[in-house]
Amino acid sequence: LITVGGDGSQAIGLKLQAIGLPVIGVPKTIDNDLDATVETFGFGTAVQVATDALDRLRTTAESHDRIMLLEVMGRDAGWIALHTGMAGGADVILLPELAYEPALVVRDLRRILAGGRRFALIVVAEGAQARSETDGGPRARGAKIQGGAAQRAADRIAALLPGVELRVTVLGHVQRGGTPTAYDRLLATRLGVEAVEAALRGESGVLVSSQPPDIRIVSLASAAARVRRVEPGAQIVEHARALGISFGDR
């Protein structure tokens, strides 16, 4: 059995392997959150779709003097938001891994507007939370909060930044479909070839993993062990900060 999917699919594959069914995993998820591979196919296409949307929002934001918030997928991991924000020139990126303080976001927005610009772009992962939500807020008390992250952020910002228009766009499941990028097609093809080769070699309980420039074999258990999230101190986060992007966390 060749299981094509993310952490849930690979966890199920691991259970099937444990009861005797030979399983080979192929990493496919737009969230890019499998710990056992550098990249998953689907992620690059989702980022491209989201970046195209951010580019389109920029023209409206600039012509109408608005702060535009784009909500992208990423309930537990903020890879799409991070890559989209950096590629699309966002001013603020809000991630599930970095609880934000609305007052700090507003401080950074004021700095941007004081420089002569009359618009700003904010990318929000659907799992992003304000510190009030993590410190005794609804989610901290066990309530399940899904979606609406950008609208909640907009409401908090508007309360602290009167006189500025904010608009929210939720990209939703548009990110999950459409025409894949050439890179995603190539990655999926190479992963598929290696999965078949692994089957012909008699291997099982493994995942074909992207380890550029090669596709390698790793244990299936490593793919289901944990969700790969954005590390707050990761180099890519520091690169984003060096560009002047705010995460609203400090």
Side-chain angles (χ1 to χ4, degrees), residues 218-240:
V218 300
S219 72
L220 188 59
S222 65
R226 71 184 186 101
V227 172
R228 186 171 73 96
R229 296 182 171 88
V230 178
E231 293 293 335
Q235 185 185 60
I236 189 171
V237 174
E238 294 307 314
H239 285 169

Side-chain angles (χ1 to χ4, degrees), residues 98-102 104 129-137 248-250:
L98 292 167
Y100 68 93
E101 179 58 58
L104 295 180
Q129 302 177 72
R131 284 178 185 162
S132 59
E133 290 180 282
T134 60
D135 299 332
D249 64 323
R250 67 187 192 195

Side-chain angles (χ1 to χ4, degrees), residues 6 28 83 88-89 96 106 115 144-145 161 177 196 207 213 219 247:
K28 176 193 72 71
H83 283 240
V106 170
K144 192 171 185 179
I145 300 174
L161 196 63
V196 172
L207 179 91
S219 72
F247 292 93

Side-chain angles (χ1 to χ4, degrees), residues 151-218:
Q151 188 59 59
R152 292 195 299 275
D155 292 342
R156 292 184 175 103
I157 292 168
L160 299 172
L161 196 63
V164 176
E165 283 193 75
L166 294 96
R167 293 290 187 274
V168 173
T169 298
V170 179
L171 207 50
H173 290 81
V174 171
Q175 297 156 89
R176 299 185 63 86
T179 305
T181 62
Y183 184 82
D184 257 349
R185 296 180 195 201
L186 176 61
L187 178 61
T189 300
R190 293 187 64 201
L191 289 166
V193 169
E194 188 58 32
V196 172
E197 293 289 345
L200 292 173
R201 292 192 298 266
E203 298 188 55
S204 67
V206 297
L207 179 91
V208 289
S209 169
S210 174
Q211 306 286 340
D214 299 319
I215 303 298
R216 301 188 182 278
I217 300 295
V218 300

Side-chain angles (χ1 to χ4, degrees), residues 2-6 10 25-34 37-47 80 175-176 180-193 195 207-210 215 228:
I2 295 178
T3 57
V4 183
Q10 304 311 335
V26 177
K28 176 193 72 71
T29 167
I30 68 167
D31 294 316
N32 201 40
D33 60 353
L34 277 180
T37 183
V38 171
E39 54 195 347
T40 60
F41 76 88
F43 172 67
T45 301
V47 170
I80 294 176
Q175 297 156 89
R176 299 185 63 86
T181 62
Y183 184 82
D184 257 349
R185 296 180 195 201
L186 176 61
L187 178 61
T189 300
R190 293 187 64 201
L191 289 166
V193 169
L207 179 91
V208 289
S209 169
S210 174
I215 303 298
R228 186 171 73 96

